Amino acid sequence: MMALIALSFASAAKAAARIEIYGYVDKPQYKPGEQGTLRIWIYNDGTENIILYNVTVEYPWHTYYLWEGNETIKDINAAVLVGGNWSTTLTFTVPTDGRAITSGISNIKVQAVTDKTTETRNIPISVASTPVPTMIQDMDKLITLFTILTVLIIVCTVIIASTVFLSTRRPQVTWKTAEG
């Protein structure tokens, strides 16, 4: 009897809402002052539909006193069905001041708020602290220098070979007998 009374007061268990956040940036590494693109997907991996309210993106150069490096997409109010997703593309510019100087890989923090859960994920981003050479510049000058070097080596080889040849094959002096 007690078990039946306890069961009548117990609430039904609800299925847990679960979302996954995926994202990536368009380049493996950025230089200060460079513009980039961030793509974000929010996937409903749970067993019930959710409503997405807002998404907050916090970049590694985020500062509270300037409120830069923080981007919030508010009032989305989009229903994300089970197995469905919501996506967006954001553009950002890496600052040129000291906030952009990082060592190694930093993370972009993405937080999604729904009617049933809040989820946070980190997306890696790399900012070069020193200029990274992406291609060899002035290659034509280097090729010209190697060509001149090759020509000089060939000319010097010919001069040395002719000197050795002429020194070993000197014409012999022939004495003529004097008449008279």
Side-chain angles (χ1 to χ4, degrees), residues 118-132:
T118 298
E119 192 67 40
T120 303
R121 289 285 186 267
N122 291 324
I123 300 169
I125 182 173
S126 178
V127 178
S129 57
T130 56
V132 177

Side-chain angles (χ1 to χ4, degrees), residues 33-99:
E34 202 168 19
Q35 193 171 22
T37 303
L38 170 65
R39 291 181 175 83
I40 301 170
W41 286 273
I42 297 174
Y43 176 72
N44 185 353
D45 197 24
T47 56
E48 60 184 58
N49 300 334
I50 59 171
I51 297 174
L52 182 64
Y53 291 133
N54 62 37
V55 174
T56 302
V57 178
E58 190 175 297
Y59 296 100
W61 49 87
H62 170 69
T63 58
Y64 288 103
Y65 65 91
L66 293 175
W67 204 249
E68 290 180 0
N70 186 17
E71 196 168 346
T72 302
I73 305 169
K74 294 183 179 181
D75 300 326
I76 298 172
N77 295 328
V80 182
L81 305 176
V82 174
N85 67 33
W86 177 87
S87 64
T88 187
T89 302
L90 304 171
T91 58
F92 60 89
T93 302
V94 179
T96 57
D97 57 5
R99 294 174 296 146

Side-chain angles (χ1 to χ4, degrees), residues 128-154:
S129 57
T130 56
V132 177
T134 55
M135 68 175 161
I136 299 175
Q137 297 176 347
D138 299 328
M139 191 66 173
D140 56 341
K141 293 178 184 175
L142 184 64
I143 291 174
T144 303
L145 288 174
F146 275 124
T147 305
I148 291 171
L149 180 66
T150 304
V151 169
L152 285 175
I153 289 174
I154 291 171

